[in-house]
Amino acid sequence: SQKIEQNSEALNIQEGKTATLTCNYTNYSPAYLQWYRQDPGRGPVFLLLIRENEKEKRKERLKVTFDTTLKQSLFHITASQPADSATYLCALVYSSASKIIFGSGTRLSIRP
Amino acid sequence: GAVVSQHPSWVICKSGTSVKIECRSLDFQATTMFWYRQFPKQSLMLMATSNEGSKATYEQGVEKDKFLINHASLTLSTLTVTSAHPEDSSFYICSAPGDRGVSYEQYFGPGTRLTVT
């Protein structure tokens, strides 16, 4: 079965630095890879989507890369702020299955 | 952006009773909705796919007779936890895909915290 690994359960960095989160998967590459933000006790909020034929996608201070050879996606937050502290989830969508598989998440803490 | 609501936001019930959770798409129609369960510090686990006008599709290991799903309209799906037990205590979240289909972003409800005593 498909496995998704976000290899940092928690990440703690200094404000202003770039946060880099990793998402690795096994087996088949998804048609789409998504990143969500989840705050405690709340539902996830969509951030970015990248397709399998795209290498990189940017949105304001966020950047996502997708390497189907390495079976890996990197999620970057530049000029990080304490308000960026949250859990970030990567999610894979396989067009044949029409459902989303979520990773376990990385809890990011930005200290002032 | 699209908004999905859930009701109630939290509920406490006694073991053996049933609890109904509602998921509504407020400003768009959703022929498909998804129900997830999330335990503390764990990721979302898909329980079932709710299809308007037809039976829900359950993931492996999810008891369909225990977690009853009804998607009676294009804006409402309900999840009923029947004969709840303490191990059913969890955070239940629903989502609906954006208008470009399931492969695109999901709009999530705020979640329902269920505690079974």
Side-chain angles (χ1 to χ4, degrees):
Chain A
S1 60
Q2 184 63 278
K3 288 187 179 179
I4 307 169
E5 189 177 281
Q6 293 186 247
N7 60 356
S8 297
E9 183 178 325
L11 185 63
N12 192 325
I13 68 167
Q14 182 75 41
E15 180 178 8
K17 301 290 185 182
T18 295
T20 298
L21 285 64
T22 305
C23 176
N24 295 286
Y25 59 91
T26 61
N27 300 334
Y28 305 105
S29 289
Y32 308 89
L33 193 148
Q34 304 175 344
W35 284 88
Y36 290 80
R37 168 182 174 143
Q38 186 176 24
D39 290 288
R42 307 291 295 273
V45 175
F46 173 82
L47 296 175
L48 278 171
L49 174 151
I50 188 166
R51 296 176 178 79
E52 64 175 328
N53 61 351
E54 296 178 319
K55 296 290 186 186
E56 182 180 298
K57 186 72 76 71
R58 291 176 184 261
K59 180 182 177 182
E60 299 174 351
R61 294 186 295 113
L62 308 180
K63 185 178 82 171
V64 172
T65 64
F66 192 6
D67 189 326
T68 55
T69 301
L70 294 177
K71 298 187 178 181
Q72 179 182 82
S73 174
L74 299 179
F75 177 79
H76 307 271
I77 304 176
T78 58
S80 61
Q81 305 166 1
D84 295 326
S85 299
T87 295
Y88 291 87
L89 305 167
C90 73
L92 278 54
V93 183
Y94 292 85
S95 56
S96 62
S98 298
K99 62 184 180 183
I100 299 179
I101 304 172
F102 282 88
S104 55
T106 296
R107 190 169 65 253
L108 176 65
S109 297
I110 310 297
R111 59 182 186 274
Chain B
V3 178
V4 174
S5 70
Q6 279 184 244
H7 178 79
S9 56
W10 61 270
V11 58
I12 300 173
C13 71
K14 292 186 176 181
S15 185
T17 62
S18 296
V19 174
K20 179 186 284 188
I21 302 170
E22 293 184 349
C23 177
R24 292 183 184 273
S25 57
L26 296 186
D27 50 0
F28 68 105
Q29 295 181 334
T31 56
T32 300
M33 290 183 175
F34 299 96
W35 285 97
Y36 296 85
R37 180 167 53 183
Q38 187 176 35
F39 293 106
K41 296 188 177 181
Q42 295 187 25
S43 190
L44 285 77
M45 296 301 297
L46 180 64
M47 299 176 65
T49 302
S50 173
N51 304 297
E52 189 270 334
S54 64
K55 292 183 179 180
T57 305
Y58 290 82
E59 294 301 299
Q60 190 173 10
V62 178
E63 299 176 59
K64 62 180 181 181
D65 293 331
K66 180 169 181 62
F67 298 99
L68 300 178
I69 291 174
N70 186 295
H71 195 148
S73 76
L74 288 171
T75 59
L76 174 64
S77 175
T78 61
L79 169 68
T80 301
V81 183
T82 63
S83 187
H85 291 287
E87 57 265 31
D88 298 323
S89 299
S90 187
F91 192 51
Y92 292 85
I93 310 176
C94 67
S95 75
D99 59 6
R100 288 180 290 176
V102 71
S103 297
Y104 287 79
E105 65 182 283
Q106 294 286 312
Y107 298 105
F108 283 85
T112 297
R113 174 76 58 192
L114 171 63
T115 302
V116 184
T117 61

